[in-house]
Amino acid sequence: MLRRGFLSLRAANSLKKPFVGWFASSRGLANQVNEAEFELSDSPLHLLDSGPPKKAVLTREDGLQYYKEMQIIRRMETAASTLYKSKIIRGFCHLYSGQEACCVGMDAAMDKNDSLITAYRCHGWTYLRGVSVKDILCELAGRKTGCSKGKGGSMHMYGYEYYGGNGIVGAQVPLGAGIALAHQYRGNGQICVALYGDGAANQGQVFETYNMAKLWNLPCIFVCENNGYGMGTSVERAAATTDYHTRGDFIPGIKVDGMDVLTVREVTKFAADHARSGKGPIVLELATYRYYGHSMSDPGTSYRSRDEVQAMRKNRDPILSLREKLLDSGLADADEIKNIEQEAKQLIEEAVKAAESDPDPPLDDLYLDVYADDNMEGHMIRGCDNWSRHATN
């Protein structure tokens, strides 16, 4: 179970009220508290003499921003589920609901010039890396206004220093190491974060990449988002050892409570400093949970009980946990929380309308984006059969 955060005496004293008793009545005093200190969840270490801090300060501004981002991602994924069931979204679709603290916490600790590559459960990361909700939902629906012009769908979204969701299980790990190698070669001080799931953690290419990354001390953070299940198999039935943070063997690792946004943020800061300082790669295991099935074709109830899912939603939900921290510490009041939720709801509703009504790409768009410059003359692109041709000029 997660340990409840507590308010620092510093924040309590700023109200000139006793710490005991003030805590219970603080929910209406948000404008008087600018920061609060919370205990972090335990983070077991591998091959590290010291680790991230045990406590962290959360400012009012950051707390409200994290809550807003998590609300938008959760509601966006709920909308995607509804659009899929309405057959507006087709093909593959892997939802991130339940794992919002992972991406929001990590993004808060990264430099915007740092690189990131993840797997196909990528909608939340796409939003945080600068793509609008409208562009994401339109891409999911295959609309021309989508972030990949409706041609990529759920698995193929990109942004600045964001190398997208990779549809090949585990392939993002060696790709991420290659991006880190480019940063090392250029000497630009940037790092790469490569995320993969507990299922992909058993891929041979992951261990091959670990070896090369440590040989060359690449500035890379390998992140296993362990949500407890592969496509339909629990981690205990799929792996002889489920201590994924130790899988790097000779690479240091940390296990992280992936349902606590503050813990994720602080551990990521520690890992980023480690990789950026020339010490080489580090492995993080984010212990998290997905509320939906592996993909939309998986109801997610044949290999786990509904009671298990409901218990996680009730007791360990990352958004509810942050909400309680904000309210109990006085960093936000109920009205502010409600306004953020209402704004997120309105944003999603407008994006859904676009996903439902924006135009599909015309057939001729099949021949675009084959070359970097679509205006190159003299190039003929074969069509969908052996007889049709399309000139690019």
Side-chain angles (χ1 to χ4, degrees):
M1 296 294 293
L2 291 179
R3 294 187 295 176
R4 288 286 299 275
F6 69 89
L7 184 69
S8 69
L9 291 175
R10 174 176 50 184
N13 290 335
S14 70
L15 292 177
K16 298 181 181 180
K17 289 189 176 185
F19 179 76
V20 179
W22 171 88
F23 185 84
S25 62
S26 64
R27 290 184 175 230
L29 303 174
N31 293 331
Q32 301 181 50
V33 180
N34 290 319
E35 63 179 40
E37 187 176 63
F38 298 90
E39 284 187 350
L40 303 179
S41 301
D42 290 334
S43 299
L45 307 178
H46 171 66
L47 294 183
L48 289 168
D49 295 328
S50 61
K54 302 296 184 181
K55 301 176 183 179
V57 172
L58 177 65
T59 66
R60 167 181 161 79
E61 180 181 3
D62 286 344
L64 294 176
Q65 180 65 24
Y66 301 160
Y67 191 76
K68 175 182 177 181
E69 291 171 345
M70 294 169 76
Q71 274 287 335
I72 289 173
I73 293 169
R74 174 71 59 85
R75 291 173 182 269
M76 177 176 66
E77 296 294 63
T78 301
S81 174
T82 302
L83 289 169
Y84 194 97
K85 293 171 182 176
S86 302
K87 297 184 178 180
I88 293 173
I89 295 175
R90 298 175 181 269
F92 293 103
C93 186
H94 304 80
L95 303 180
Y96 206 64
S97 299
Q99 300 182 212
E100 296 88 356
C102 297
C103 62
V104 171
M106 293 194 74
D107 183 71
M110 294 171 60
D111 188 285
K112 293 303 180 183
N113 291 318
D114 290 335
S115 303
L116 185 133
I117 185 169
T118 185
Y120 36 69
R121 207 177 302 280
C122 63
H123 310 154
W125 272 112
T126 304
Y127 170 70
L128 292 176
R129 298 301 278 188
V131 180
S132 70
V133 174
K134 174 182 175 294
D135 288 354
I136 293 171
L137 290 184
C138 284
E139 184 59 37
L140 289 172
R143 306 301 184 186
K144 185 175 177 63
T145 51
C147 57
S148 294
K149 303 180 182 178
K151 298 165 69 174
S154 179
M155 295 186 183
H156 303 94
M157 302 179 182
Y158 310 93
Y160 175 70
E161 286 299 333
Y162 172 56
Y163 294 83
N166 196 294
I168 302 174
V169 177
Q172 67 275 20
V173 179
L175 288 173
I179 296 167
L181 175 61
H183 290 323
Q184 184 186 68
Y185 182 80
R186 293 168 178 158
N188 56 22
Q190 295 169 228
I191 63 173
C192 181
V193 177
L195 298 103
Y196 53 100
D198 50 271
N202 297 319
Q203 288 271 323
Q205 60 187 323
V206 173
F207 297 95
E208 295 173 27
T209 302
Y210 285 165
N211 183 58
M212 296 181 73
K214 184 55 183 173
L215 275 174
W216 299 337
N217 272 339
L218 298 181
C220 192
I221 305 176
F222 299 111
V223 183
C224 176
E225 290 184 291
N226 176 10
N227 59 28
Y229 299 91
M231 286 187 67
T233 306
S234 67
V235 294
E236 291 81 9
R237 295 182 59 216
T241 173
T242 58
D243 291 327
Y244 294 100
H245 67 295
T246 70
R247 290 281 196 95
D249 190 9
F250 37 77
I251 298 177
I254 308 175
K255 186 171 183 178
V256 190
D257 182 356
M259 305 300 270
D260 182 351
V261 67
L262 277 182
T263 300
V264 173
R265 185 190 73 180
E266 293 306 308
V267 174
T268 304
K269 286 181 180 179
F270 178 90
D273 289 341
H274 177 97
R276 215 183 301 276
S277 65
K279 296 178 181 178
I282 187 170
V283 177
L284 302 184
E285 175 191 349
L286 270 55
T288 183
Y289 197 82
R290 57 170 168 81
Y291 293 155
Y292 289 93
H294 174 73
S295 67
M296 290 303 296
S297 60
D298 168 26
T301 54
S302 60
Y303 48 85
R304 60 182 183 179
S305 68
R306 295 182 187 275
D307 289 342
E308 176 185 309
V309 179
Q310 290 304 315
M312 291 295 291
R313 285 182 177 269
K314 179 180 179 180
N315 300 319
R316 298 205 59 210
D317 185 81
I319 298 179
L320 292 180
S321 174
L322 178 59
R323 184 178 187 272
E324 290 181 3
K325 283 182 171 67
L326 293 173
L327 291 174
D328 289 346
S329 64
L331 290 171
D333 59 36
D335 288 339
E336 289 175 308
I337 294 294
K338 184 177 180 180
N339 288 339
I340 289 175
E341 294 170 353
Q342 188 60 38
E343 289 173 4
K345 179 182 177 182
Q346 183 177 351
L347 177 66
I348 302 304
E349 288 175 348
E350 293 173 355
V352 166
K353 291 178 182 177
E356 292 174 334
S357 60
D358 278 10
D360 294 329
L363 188 60
D364 283 349
D365 277 14
L366 283 172
Y367 303 101
L368 297 178
D369 306 309
V370 177
Y371 295 99
D373 185 354
D374 287 320
N375 295 319
M376 288 192 302
E377 296 183 3
H379 286 273
M380 300 294 291
I381 304 171
R382 191 173 75 182
C384 56
D385 54 54
N386 289 326
W387 299 276
S388 63
R389 296 288 190 274
H390 182 86
T392 60
N393 54 342

